[in-house]
């Protein structure tokens, strides 16, 4: 199908109850592209500063991620700082420095414009809209966002949502978007705005899927190793969309399998800081955890 991903490629400073890491590589576009690359090569759209490490750009290339849409500009790379409490689902943003993203208005390479799948990973919704308008006729458009944009750019979010098929957000964001405490009612509202599938992520409690004809739930993989929850949501989306890209289908059973692959990738991402775990795993690790999921949910 071919999948275009727009999102942040970033430096993250992460504080967990046990450890602090300064300026490690992260970003919604990074996690999502790496996760998707296990299935089919995605095309990334983002910008980094000259301070971004060359070896990570080399890793993208080694994973066959198309980087023709990844600009390197003079200036500093996007920097986000977050802090987690004892509950890994609770995180606080300490700082967001957009840096080179501030004036980023890319023109998509021609080879990107015929993409059939587009993922608007967490980034300024005006940028999401701008990129989307450059893709000729995508079959599936998916989107993620966070509190910051819901609070500062609600109109832009509603405009983009009107063009989106699948929305990935966490349960807190669902409530912020709609002002509705009940997830089922909130899902109905959101589906009325555009998306035909809402994926409400609930961190270590898994995710709920609200589609046109069905609602279902998927647990998170019960891992005892939660080192750094950053990137779980993006890795989920990357696994989900990478699988759809590979199969070339998006029927109901395909969407369910995609959800399991998404959960598998998310469960790996959180087992180490930053992208370390996604760098280390192999396709066979993914398949083996996929099979474990089958045992986990069948009865
Ligand atoms: P996740 O944990 O999957 O929700 O995503 C975490 C990633 O989102 C981090 O690696 C950050 O660099 C990135 N991020 C955080 N805030 C923003 C923002 N306002 N815009 C774009 N990316 C962000």
């Amino acid at each position: 199908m071919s999948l275009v991903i727009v999102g942040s490629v970033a430096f993250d400073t992460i504080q967990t109850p046990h450890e602090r890491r300064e300026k490690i590589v992260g970003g919604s576009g990074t996690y999502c592209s790496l996760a998707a690359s296990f299935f089919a090569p995605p095309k990334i759209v983002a910008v980094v500063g000259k301070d971004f490490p060359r070896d990570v750009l080399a890793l993208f290339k080694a994973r066959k991620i198309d980087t023709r849409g990844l600009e390197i500009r003079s200036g500093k790379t996007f920097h986000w700082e977050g802090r987690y409490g004892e509950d890994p689902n609770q995180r606080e943003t300490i700082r967001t420095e957009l840096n080179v993203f501030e004036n980023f208005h890319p023109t998509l390479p021609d080879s990107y414009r015929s993409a059939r799948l587009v993922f608007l990973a967490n980034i300024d919704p005006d940028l999401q809209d701008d990129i989307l308008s450059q893709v000729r006729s995508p079959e599936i458009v998916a989107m993620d966002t966070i509190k910051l944009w819901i609070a500062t750019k609600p109109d832009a979010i509603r405009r983009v949502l009107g063009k989106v098929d699948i929305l990935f957000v966490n349960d807190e964001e669902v409530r912020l978007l709609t002002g509705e405490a009940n997830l089922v009612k909130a899902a109905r509202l959101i589906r009325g705005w555009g998306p035909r599938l809402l994926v409400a992520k609930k961190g270590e409690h898994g995710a709920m899927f609200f589609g046109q004809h069905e609602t279902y739930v998927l647990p998170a993989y019960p891992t005892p190793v939660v080192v750094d929850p950053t990137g779980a949501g993006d890795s989920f989306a990357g696994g989900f969309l990478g699988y759809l890209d590979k199969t070339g289908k998006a029927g109901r059973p395909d969407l369910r399998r995609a959800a399991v692959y998404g959960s598998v990738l998310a469960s790996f991402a959180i087992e180490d800081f930053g992208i370390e775990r996604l760098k280390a795993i192999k396709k066979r690790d993914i398949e083996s955890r996929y099979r474990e999921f089958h045992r986990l949910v069948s009865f």
Side-chain angles (χ1 to χ4, degrees):
M1 272 193 176
S2 99
L3 164 65
V4 161
I5 296 168
V6 54
S8 52
V9 174
F11 285 130
D12 289 345
T13 294
I14 312 281
Q15 177 84 55
T16 72
H18 312 286
E19 222 177 314
R20 181 179 173 83
R21 292 285 173 99
E22 299 273 347
K23 289 200 157 182
I24 57 174
V25 169
S28 54
T30 306
Y31 282 107
C32 183
S33 300
L34 286 174
S37 73
F38 287 99
F39 302 91
K43 301 176 186 301
I44 190 168
V45 186
V47 59
V48 291
K50 291 247 162 66
D51 54 354
F52 195 74
R54 301 255 152 209
D55 59 328
V56 178
L57 299 175
L59 169 72
F60 288 167
K61 292 217 167 102
R63 289 288 170 90
K64 308 248 177 337
I65 296 168
D66 190 337
T67 55
R68 273 173 286 185
L70 177 61
E71 282 183 36
I72 305 173
R73 285 205 185 155
S74 54
K76 283 160 84 180
T77 297
F78 176 100
H79 179 208
W80 173 79
E81 179 172 348
R83 181 164 59 208
Y84 295 90
E86 286 296 340
D87 174 354
N89 290 354
Q90 293 300 320
R91 102 169 150 204
E92 191 190 345
T93 289
I94 310 289
R95 140 166 76 141
T96 303
E97 294 164 353
L98 292 178
N99 297 334
V100 284
F101 260 106
E102 203 134 17
N103 298 304
F104 181 53
H105 304 289
T107 302
L108 284 195
D110 204 48
S111 56
Y112 280 48
R113 291 175 192 255
S114 52
R116 291 163 70 195
L117 268 168
V118 179
F119 183 48
L120 309 170
N122 169 28
I123 197 71
D124 186 326
D126 284 318
L127 178 58
Q128 292 179 321
D129 202 14
D130 180 20
I131 301 293
L132 183 56
S133 68
Q134 297 181 48
V135 181
R136 279 192 282 269
S137 48
E139 280 168 28
I140 300 177
V141 180
M143 172 186 178
D144 189 358
T145 193
I146 53 161
K147 248 161 103 173
L148 172 74
W149 307 119
I150 299 171
T152 58
K153 296 201 164 187
D155 297 341
I157 291 202
R158 280 292 289 274
R159 192 175 69 239
V160 186
L161 271 176
K163 306 171 188 173
V164 158
D165 302 289
I166 305 176
L167 176 66
F168 298 97
V169 271
N170 67 34
D171 45 355
E172 185 194 10
E173 290 150 359
V174 169
R175 294 187 175 109
L176 282 173
L177 268 171
T178 58
E180 171 59 61
N182 179 288
L183 267 190
V184 182
K185 285 188 190 159
R188 241 179 252 150
L189 275 174
I190 289 180
R191 293 192 42 251
W193 298 339
R196 50 194 166 90
L197 176 65
L198 168 69
V199 182
K201 299 170 288 177
K202 296 154 77 74
E204 62 180 329
H205 306 299
M208 283 195 81
F209 299 76
F210 298 94
Q212 209 170 353
H213 304 291
E214 54 184 6
T215 298
Y216 49 97
V217 294
L218 190 66
Y221 179 77
T223 173
V225 195
V226 181
V227 174
D228 171 13
T230 313
D234 309 310
S235 304
F236 180 95
F240 187 104
L241 296 167
Y243 174 76
L244 291 186
D245 188 13
K246 184 180 141 204
T247 56
K249 293 182 292 181
R252 277 149 70 177
D254 309 302
L255 291 171
R256 284 185 177 230
R257 283 184 205 113
V260 177
Y261 278 113
S263 301
V264 167
L265 268 300
S267 73
F268 281 120
I270 63 177
E271 288 179 347
D272 202 345
F273 274 100
I275 57 173
E276 289 311 307
R277 200 71 182 109
L278 292 186
K279 269 159 71 176
I281 55 168
K282 301 273 181 288
K283 191 78 205 290
R284 63 173 177 276
D285 300 314
I286 295 172
E287 291 307 332
S288 138
R289 201 165 275 191
Y290 181 88
R291 287 192 297 274
E292 278 185 66
F293 246 96
H294 206 269
R295 289 193 289 276
L296 189 68
V297 298
S298 65
F299 59 89

